[in-house]
């Protein structure tokens, strides 16, 4: 009994240290042809697809090009150096120890080596890596697009072979003396002479890329001869190249970022865009430029303000609107003449006329009633009564 328990503990320790062998519960079992069989709900390795264009070098493809002995030696040195620098891609994760036991009739679960006694640490492939189908203990990086003329050295990361260089599309293309896209190799120099409309890549200096006169700006890419493609939120401008784009333009301002308009001095942002500012206001007018007020019809500029105009002078009043007279206190507008304001006597002037604000002038034969101070009533004159 003790010997069986000891063997179980040793076996569990080996599992925790080196992972599970193919076919055990909790891992993926590899079969010929790349089929995968999942044994439980705790997958140990994540596998999408395995592409092997050249059996001796997984995750890599090469072109069948003629190489000199020197190039072959450079290729071998590249492979020896690069293969040794590829990360192992092995990570550890914790799973319930009980999930590692295929048969456990007694029901007891040995103590695991995880963060608590019920968990055990197992080896898994890190994200972006997958199990090598020929070597169960090895994890290799996955490049979703095959690395033509290069080696997959990390998740979706290709390293180009000697005599190859990465182009603008991220692909490894041949360079001189093997070849030169959109150019010709100069014999004896190993340099590439580009065709018209192309220029040497400024980064590598080994491949010809489309030329866009003046460049495409920080937010654009030259994708073809004299053709720029701008990033999202930017549009092409012949002078500014790929410049920020503001819907509706940015009149009286400058588009400094996608959808962000910065107004010029003397303007401020409103719902409709950059509007001019008149610091003293612009009553009865429209601010058409910084501190420039344009009067509305019926108004004229007096100083820096818009003042109403009337076709005729306002008698006993003032012009307060286009051909609108406002009477002074004690006067009312004459219904027969809109530009005349006539005196107003609230109580009327019987036997007389209103000659001023609340002031009556009696008719002939009538005099003011003096019985009440301030009374404007006119009464019939009697002999001996002075007017």
């Amino acid at each position: 009994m003790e010997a069986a328990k000891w063997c179980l503990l040793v076996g569990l320790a080996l599992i925790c240290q080196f992972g599970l062998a193919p076919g055990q519960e909790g891992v993926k079992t590899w079969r010929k042809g790349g089929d995968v069989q999942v044994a439980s709900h705790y997958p140990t390795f994540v596998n999408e697809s395995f592409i092997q264009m050249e059996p001796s070098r997984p995750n890599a493809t090469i072109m069948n090009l003629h190489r000199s002995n020197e190039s072959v030696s450079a290729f071998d040195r590249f492979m020896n150096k690069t293969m040794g620098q590829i990360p192992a891609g092995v990570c550890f994760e914790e799973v319930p120890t009980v999930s590692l036991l295929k048969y456990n009739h007694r029901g007891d679960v040995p103590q695991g080596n995880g963060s608590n006694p019920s968990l055990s640490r197992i080896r898994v492939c890190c994200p972006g890596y997958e199990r090598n189908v020929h070597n169960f203990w090895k994890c290799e990086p996955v490049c979703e697009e095959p690395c033509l003329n290069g080696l997959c050295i990390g998740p979706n990361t290709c390293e180009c072979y000697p005599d190859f260089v990465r182009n603008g599309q991220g692909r490894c293309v041949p360079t001189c003396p093997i070849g030169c896209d959109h150019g010709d190799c100069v014999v004896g120099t190993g340099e590439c002479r580009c065709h018209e409309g192309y220029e040497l890549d400024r980064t590598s200096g080994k491949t010809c890329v489309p030329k866009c006169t003046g460049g495409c700006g920080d937010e654009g890419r030259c994708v073809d001869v004299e053709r720029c493609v701008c990033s999202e939120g930017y549009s092409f401008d012949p002078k500014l190249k790929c410049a920020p784009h503001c819907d509706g333009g940015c009149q009286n301002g400058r588009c400094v970022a996608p959808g962000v308009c910065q107004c010029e001095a003397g303007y401020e942002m409103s719902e409709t865009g950059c509007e001019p500012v008149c610091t003293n206001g612009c009553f009865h007018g429209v601010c058409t430029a910084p501190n420039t007020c344009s009067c509305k019809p019926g108004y004229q500029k007096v100083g820096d303000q818009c003042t109403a105009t009337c076709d005729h002078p306002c008698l006993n009043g003032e012009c307060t609107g286009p051909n609108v007279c406002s009477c002074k206190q004690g006067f009312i507008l004459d219904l027969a003449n809109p530009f005349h304001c006539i005196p107003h006597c609230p109580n009327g002037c019987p036997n007389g006329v209103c000659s001023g604000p609340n002031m009556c002038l009696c008719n002939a034969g009538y005099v003011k009633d003096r019985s009440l101070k301030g009374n404007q009533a006119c009464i019939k004159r009697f002999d001996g009564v002075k007017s």
Side-chain angles (χ1 to χ4, degrees), residues 38-379:
V38 180
S40 77
H41 61 284
Y42 288 107
T44 308
F45 286 83
V46 179
N47 175 53
E48 289 88 4
S49 62
F50 182 83
I51 303 174
Q52 185 175 3
M53 304 297 292
E54 186 182 14
S56 61
R57 298 187 180 90
N59 285 334
T61 61
I62 62 173
M63 295 177 63
N64 185 20
L65 299 172
H66 175 73
R67 294 175 179 271
S68 64
N69 292 334
E70 182 179 352
S71 295
V72 172
S73 299
F75 177 79
D76 291 339
R77 290 194 299 269
F78 165 83
M79 292 299 296
N80 292 335
K81 178 182 178 181
T82 307
M83 291 291 288
Q85 294 177 346
I86 297 178
V90 176
C91 294
F92 291 87
E93 81 174 27
E94 291 186 340
V95 298
T97 303
V98 66
S99 68
L100 303 175
L101 304 176
K102 189 172 184 180
Y103 300 105
N104 187 18
H105 301 295
R106 294 179 53 185
D108 57 332
V109 179
Q111 180 174 334
N113 65 345
S115 57
N116 67 63
S118 67
L119 300 176
S120 293
R121 297 176 71 239
I122 62 173
R123 293 163 56 100
V124 297
C125 284
C126 300
Y129 290 79
E130 66 180 3
R131 183 76 64 85
N132 185 300
V133 294
H134 304 293
N135 186 344
F136 185 79
W137 309 106
K138 186 177 180 181
C139 294
E140 292 182 337
V142 176
C143 290
E144 297 179 2
E145 293 292 333
C147 289
L148 295 173
N149 308 314
L151 184 68
C152 185
I153 61 172
N156 290 323
T157 303
C158 292
E159 182 76 15
C160 296
Y161 292 149
D163 296 331
F164 290 84
V165 68
R166 194 184 312 278
N167 64 6
Q169 289 73 41
R171 298 172 181 170
C172 296
V173 297
T175 60
C176 294
I178 297 178
C180 178
D181 285 352
H182 306 296
D184 301 304
C185 291
V186 180
V187 179
T189 65
E191 296 180 354
C192 184
R193 180 179 296 160
C194 299
H195 296 160
E196 184 178 359
Y198 292 83
E199 62 184 357
L200 284 176
D201 178 32
R202 297 179 181 179
T203 303
S204 66
K206 296 182 177 180
T207 183
C208 293
V209 296
K211 181 180 179 181
C212 293
T213 304
C216 294
D218 295 335
E219 297 296 336
R221 295 183 299 108
C222 186
V223 297
D224 203 348
V225 178
E226 302 297 346
R227 188 168 75 90
C228 292
V229 170
C230 300
S231 304
E232 185 177 1
Y234 293 79
S235 59
F236 185 77
D237 181 272
K239 294 182 179 179
L240 303 176
K241 303 305 178 181
C242 285
H245 176 71
C246 293
D247 290 338
C250 190
Q251 189 175 3
N252 301 321
R254 188 167 60 93
C255 189
V256 296
V260 179
C261 190
Q262 186 179 70
C263 296
E264 298 174 355
Y267 294 83
E268 63 181 5
M269 182 59 68
S270 68
E271 294 181 356
T272 58
C274 292
E275 298 288 346
V277 177
C278 291
T279 54
N280 294 327
C282 188
F283 300 104
H284 309 303
V286 178
C287 190
T288 54
N291 290 323
T292 301
C293 190
S294 298
C295 297
K296 296 179 180 178
Y299 293 85
Q300 65 181 5
K301 199 69 170 291
V302 177
D304 59 353
Q305 297 296 328
C306 293
T307 304
T309 60
C310 292
D311 294 341
H312 301 282
C314 289
L315 183 64
N316 299 319
E318 60 178 342
C319 186
T320 56
N323 286 325
V324 176
C325 287
S326 295
C327 296
K328 297 178 180 179
Q329 187 175 2
F331 292 85
I332 59 174
L333 198 63
D334 186 357
L335 298 178
N337 190 339
F339 298 103
H340 284 185
C341 293
I342 57 178
H344 176 57
C345 296
N347 297 321
C349 287
N351 304 313
V353 293
C354 187
S355 60
N358 199 27
M359 183 178 294
C360 290
L361 181 63
C362 296
N363 296 333
Y366 290 83
V367 294
K368 292 283 182 72
D369 184 3
R370 301 299 184 183
S371 63
L372 184 63
K373 185 179 180 179
N375 188 5
Q376 296 293 317
C378 295
I379 59 177

